[in-house]
Amino acid sequence: MILHASCIAHRERGLLILGPSGAGKSTLALQMMALGAVLVADDRTVLRREGVRILADAPDSIRGRIEARGVGILHAWAHGPVEVALAVDLARPEPDRLPPDRRLDLMGRSVPLVLGAGRVHLASILLQYLVAGRADTDLHES
């Protein structure tokens, strides 16, 4: 399956970045890369199921490339396939200050979901989520 999405890896955990064209998928990936994450895929992400895991990877034609709007296509060190541990949807704003444990059904698996439209400091928030999860849930159970 190929999704119109970007993906980064941090500490061997993948973040799937969802949203329509112009929502900021590449920009969020670049911000997270500046904080230590590694690019998996930009704009198109290949997903495959391997047992209970969902793995994300880049199509060969765009591996190691990321679009910087207004600058051009940049080279980036490319991480290989990574297990998707978390997803963020940049098309939907989060209405709750302390939201419920939202989930995304992805190829028959449930993945934690953050609604991120219009959020400031989202890159650092998502990196911390990847590292330690939410206090009221266990990120590693997904």
Side-chain angles (χ1 to χ4, degrees), residues 106-126:
L106 196 60
M107 301 178 77
R109 294 286 298 155
S110 176
V111 177
L113 175 66
V114 172
L115 304 182
R119 298 285 307 273
V120 295
H121 311 296
L122 190 57
S124 56
I125 292 166
L126 293 170

Side-chain angles (χ1 to χ4, degrees), residues 1-141:
M1 165 191 287
I2 297 180
L3 284 182
H4 180 222
S6 295
C7 184
I8 59 90
H10 183 67
R11 296 189 181 182
E12 300 307 313
R13 301 179 63 75
L15 170 70
L16 191 62
I17 305 170
L18 305 165
S21 183
K25 296 179 301 294
S26 300
T27 299
L28 177 59
L30 283 163
Q31 289 170 341
M32 296 182 81
M33 290 163 59
L35 296 171
V38 180
L39 179 68
V40 175
D42 181 47
D43 199 47
R44 288 181 296 154
T45 301
V46 177
L47 295 179
R48 74 176 188 274
R49 180 124 183 216
E50 192 174 274
V52 297
R53 302 179 330 146
I54 303 297
L55 297 180
D57 200 3
D60 289 335
S61 60
I62 61 169
R63 188 176 309 280
R65 295 181 182 163
I66 186 166
E67 177 184 350
R69 196 171 287 247
V71 175
I73 306 297
L74 304 177
H75 288 286
W77 185 77
H79 195 284
V82 67
E83 183 174 2
V84 176
L86 178 63
V88 60
D89 185 346
L90 298 180
R92 297 166 51 194
E94 177 54 67
D96 299 323
R97 180 177 177 185
L98 297 173
D101 179 28
R102 299 190 190 283
R103 311 295 285 191
L104 173 68
D105 181 39
L106 196 60
M107 301 178 77
R109 294 286 298 155
S110 176
V111 177
L113 175 66
V114 172
L115 304 182
R119 298 285 307 273
V120 295
H121 311 296
L122 190 57
S124 56
I125 292 166
L126 293 170
L127 284 175
Q128 185 60 31
Y129 196 142
L130 283 173
V131 169
R134 282 178 43 155
D136 60 341
T137 62
D138 185 359
L139 176 66
H140 305 283
E141 283 183 1

